[in-house]
Amino acid sequence: MAQTEIVAEVQIIDEGDHEEILQMVNGFRVLPGNPAPLGATWDGMGVNFALFSEDATKVELCLFSNPGGDYRGYDHKETRIVLPEYTDHVWHGYVPGVRPGQIYGYRVYGPYRPQEGLRFNPHKVLVDPYAKSIVRTTAWDSSMFGYELNHPDKDLIMDTQDNSKNTPLSAVIENAFSWGTDHPPRTPWHKTVIYETHIKAMSQLCPEIPEGMRGTYAAMASEPVIRYLKKLGVTAVELMPVHHHVNEGHLVDKGLVNFWGYNTLSFFAPDNRFAWDKGPLSEVYEFKSMVRALHAAGMEVILDVVYNHTAEGNHMGPTLSFKGIDNRAYYRLTAENPRYYFDFTGCGNTLNVRNPRVLQLIMDSLRYWITEMHVDGFRFDLASALARTFYDVDRLGAFFDIIHQDPVISQVKLIAEPWDLGAGGYQVGNFPVLWTEWNGRYRDSMRKFWAGQGEPLSQVASRLSGSRDLYEHTGRRPHASINFITCHDGFTLNDLVSYNSKHNEANLEGNNDGANDNHSWNCGAEGPTDDARIKALRGRQRRNMLATLFFSLGVPMITCGDEVCASQDGNNNSYCQDNELTWRQLWELTPEQENLLKFTRKLIEIRKTENVLQRRRFFHGDRSRFSGLKDILWKHPDGRAMEDREWDDPNCRSLLLVMEGSSIDEMGEDGRRVIGNTLCILINADYKDVAFELPKHPKGQKPYLMLFNTADEEIPQMDKFYRGGDRVTLMDHSMMVLALKASINYSNRKFSIAMPSST
């Protein structure tokens, strides 16, 4: 590589009462610039470069000539410029004439003493932590490590190989974009339906999208994808990580990749693997265009973000950015031996949110994605790691304090994955106000209940009614519970009812990765089967869990593909599979898949129509001050009230509940009292058929309209009526929902219910 060694020429110009110092470096005029904002900021005339490093002794800005293509494969010119100023631990300088598209990195000087937590190595070009664009991926070789890879003293010996041909490089961007009339949908939490998906998995198999566009931001914004999402009825897409990530070297060596992307390198740059146009800065434009298109369709965009760790791993990991810029500031190191890292994430390191500059990095990143990229919310991966002060998780910690007082971040949707891998990390129900949580207890309870694994009805009832026991004591409402049966991590819904054990052999880790306790049940055979009885039972179980999800109080989240029986062949940790195992076939469906898709659409439609499922307050079992009726009733199948012993009897697997639509006692946006249909939900998770007696309504003998029965493979015509007092027999492992009101609207059809002469 052609490299220019810099000797700065300093010219002092006397203008009377002051001196202006100009550094001329290989034709570049270098001015002092400003310590804020951090990163590379173009002002129309040049670029201000600012990099935080408390312990560094010198910082060189490295400007690279545009190498084109994949930015690799031949010599390219590197111009090094010593940043001239150091203010408040920030190295900075302004270079006139530099424009968007300029490729750059940093070489940071300082001591290499790993035993003290210092890992400076000027032989390594480093990614700017505030880079808005990354122009190439990592090419793994020994130069990507700050230490001599094969030395017997391991990471204690500094490596002197230059890595500039292999390392990711940063690029200067401009923020200008024609947003037009774009505005956030701002769907209220109680009306939100979340669809968790992956940019590539969503569109890779869509035949209506040009082959080269599939799997990109542009594909996510395409008419076929948006049409699919709108017809499904979801209100928000929760995108798996789009921050620029790194494929771990050990995966690349096996011919695998980190498909999920939970290995972040840059918290500001959209991942360029999802760009249709592979030119520099294209991923920024395409991401914004995607958000604009989804907003125009009425859908919010929520990002799954990974601020708990980075792609640099532990003390044996590579030096790509933070580790070589200021290791002691960015990472939590063990006090007794700072050579080593605290690992609450299972990924080798944990970001040091106790450091004000690291907190600033996270907050600046969040604001950037809100203000410049127009996203509507965030799901925080392993959020408990962000709340740790010293060892314990502190829900009143600085991380939460800063978010709560921030006028931008506090106004978007905030979702926590409320656990990490450290001691005391499981914090479901313990996050503060403003936060919602992936309710892991909901997932586990519903899985165990339908699988016949002894989950007591007391737990099932708590989860169905919004998990009041978890969230009300912190001042939160039912929407604090993000209800889900499956997510990207674990079995798909189809595999949950088809496998008792994980089958992760394709990950090439000897089937040792992934969770062993999945609360799954294969219904009688492991994997695919031709047994008609087992296939029918699996179909009911899929419908049971989807129906349970959408008829529970809280915010439902469905995972892409569950609505069409997607399978990963029993792989419950598909993070490294970029192939048809994880690509979702949403477009060319079998009759079985088509039926489940129609069923899911109907569930979402009912969910969005029924006010009683969109309550903003918890059920309490109290009588309404308006209707005089209890807001919720729990019944034994024979019609009597449940006895105390039955709530915790694992052999009790059937339940009837009534959500009273006239007892919502809330005010709508129009100032009127909210009134909805009354729903009667019959649940039979037993291994035998069970007869239910329908309750008589206290306000008169009105008929019940059956909305669906999960024993039916196809959507009913909604013309079947029952009276209070009728006995209805539910098939084993099935669920029925009935509605009670004078008129019910679905799919723009009005069903005027008259008293039938017979049932």
Side-chain angles (χ1 to χ4, degrees), residues 294-326:
L294 288 167
H295 280 180
M299 278 172 280
E300 294 182 300
V301 178
I302 299 170
L303 300 187
D304 194 335
V305 290
V306 189
Y307 293 111
N308 53 76
H309 75 280
T310 78
E312 293 186 300
N314 61 16
H315 63 292
M316 301 300 289
T319 297
L320 305 171
S321 179
F322 311 93
K323 188 179 289 186
I325 292 172
D326 199 327

Side-chain angles (χ1 to χ4, degrees), residues 542-592:
R542 287 191 295 263
R543 293 188 291 274
N544 286 335
M545 284 188 267
L546 285 170
T548 304
L549 174 65
F550 287 106
F551 280 77
S552 298
L553 202 59
V555 179
M557 183 186 80
I558 183 174
T559 300
C560 175
D562 278 354
E563 73 276 20
V564 294
C565 313
S567 174
Q568 293 177 170
D569 297 339
N571 191 321
N572 73 350
N573 189 35
S574 60
Y575 78 103
C576 57
Q577 301 296 323
D578 184 4
N579 49 51
E580 292 193 3
L581 195 71
T582 52
W583 303 342
R584 296 299 181 237
Q585 179 52 271
L586 309 174
W587 319 99
E588 297 173 350
L589 306 179
T590 66
E592 180 184 43

Side-chain angles (χ1 to χ4, degrees), residues 186-216:
R186 297 195 184 282
T187 306
W189 268 122
H190 64 286
K191 295 184 177 182
T192 295
V193 178
I194 299 174
Y195 189 74
E196 187 199 29
T197 189
H198 183 282
I199 291 288
K200 185 172 184 179
M202 180 83 194
S203 63
Q204 186 64 24
L205 298 178
C206 180
E208 298 181 59
I209 298 174
E211 188 171 353
M213 185 196 291
R214 297 174 193 171
T216 67

Side-chain angles (χ1 to χ4, degrees), residues 616-628:
R616 301 194 301 275
R617 295 184 176 89
F618 289 104
F619 292 108
H620 285 85
D622 297 333
R623 295 188 182 277
S624 165
R625 58 194 175 112
F626 296 105
S627 70

Side-chain angles (χ1 to χ4, degrees), residues 11-12 56 96 115 120 224 245 248 259 264 299 318 355 418 432 453 480 489 598 651 675 681 753 759:
Q11 179 183 7
I12 301 178
Q115 303 95 323
F120 295 103
H245 87 297
E248 295 93 325
F259 180 65
T264 303
M299 278 172 280
N355 186 290
Q453 296 176 358
D489 189 3
K598 290 178 180 178
N651 295 313
I675 299 176
I681 302 174
I753 303 178
T759 59

